[in-house]
Amino acid sequence: MRDNAVVLSVEDTLAWVKVSPLVSCGECSARSLCAGHKDAAGRLAVQNPLRAQPGDTVVIEVPEANYHRDLIRIFGFLLAGLLLGLALGYVIRPLAGLAKPENALLGLAVGLGLSGFGLFSYFRTRKRHSGYPMIVEISDKGGPHGQT
């Protein structure tokens, strides 16, 4: 999905832009994920590989392929953790005082908790900005840079 935006400020490799959507934002499958990089004033943080300056009108693109990979990673890891925890709880029976179904449920809960913690740690330590929308084109230089 592509949208027009105006660059408001630049910080390192990111630019803060004000978006004027080409299509309704409610239709985008990645809306809830990219809204996480929005601040209270409605500005959106985007990658700035073209080094756009404040005042430039740019075209931004949401890299939906990255979201799909992340969603597959999230749901696949949670499912694997659930199934592995269920199987280990049923087979190993960590609490001898409980029956197999109760131990299986305990293993399922532990598997879910551990996989959730693993995902949290993975996404927390990942330093790249793959989830950010990206400036793909500078459509109009904004006169003297720094003036909007």
Side-chain angles (χ1 to χ4, degrees):
M1 182 177 106
R2 289 180 168 223
D3 286 321
N4 290 327
V6 175
V7 178
L8 301 174
S9 64
V10 176
E11 299 172 5
D12 297 325
T13 61
L14 295 178
W16 287 93
V17 299
K18 183 73 174 172
V19 180
S20 51
L22 296 172
V23 295
S24 172
C25 224
E27 302 297 320
C28 174
S29 63
R31 179 183 172 274
S32 62
L33 294 171
C34 75
H37 304 298
K38 221 178 219 184
D39 69 0
R43 300 179 317 154
L44 184 67
V46 298
Q47 291 182 34
N48 188 10
L50 301 179
R51 300 176 198 252
Q53 296 296 314
D56 290 351
T57 302
V58 296
V59 177
I60 63 170
E61 184 174 53
V62 177
E64 291 188 44
N66 293 341
Y67 293 124
H68 295 297
R69 267 185 261 133
D70 285 345
L71 288 174
I72 289 169
R73 189 173 290 128
I74 289 168
F75 290 116
F77 198 70
L78 287 174
L79 181 62
L82 284 172
L83 293 176
L84 185 63
L86 177 69
L88 288 177
Y90 187 79
V91 172
I92 294 176
R93 296 185 61 195
L95 298 176
L98 296 177
K100 283 187 177 185
E102 287 85 10
N103 275 308
L105 185 61
L106 179 65
L108 183 125
V110 169
L112 178 64
L114 289 175
S115 61
F117 179 74
L119 283 170
F120 174 77
S121 299
Y122 171 75
F123 284 107
R124 185 88 165 137
T125 58
R126 193 170 67 171
K127 297 294 182 195
R128 59 193 174 104
H129 299 291
S130 64
Y132 286 90
M134 179 182 296
I135 295 175
V136 293
E137 176 184 333
I138 299 175
S139 55
D140 185 28
K141 293 278 187 188
H145 289 293
Q147 303 291 323
T148 55

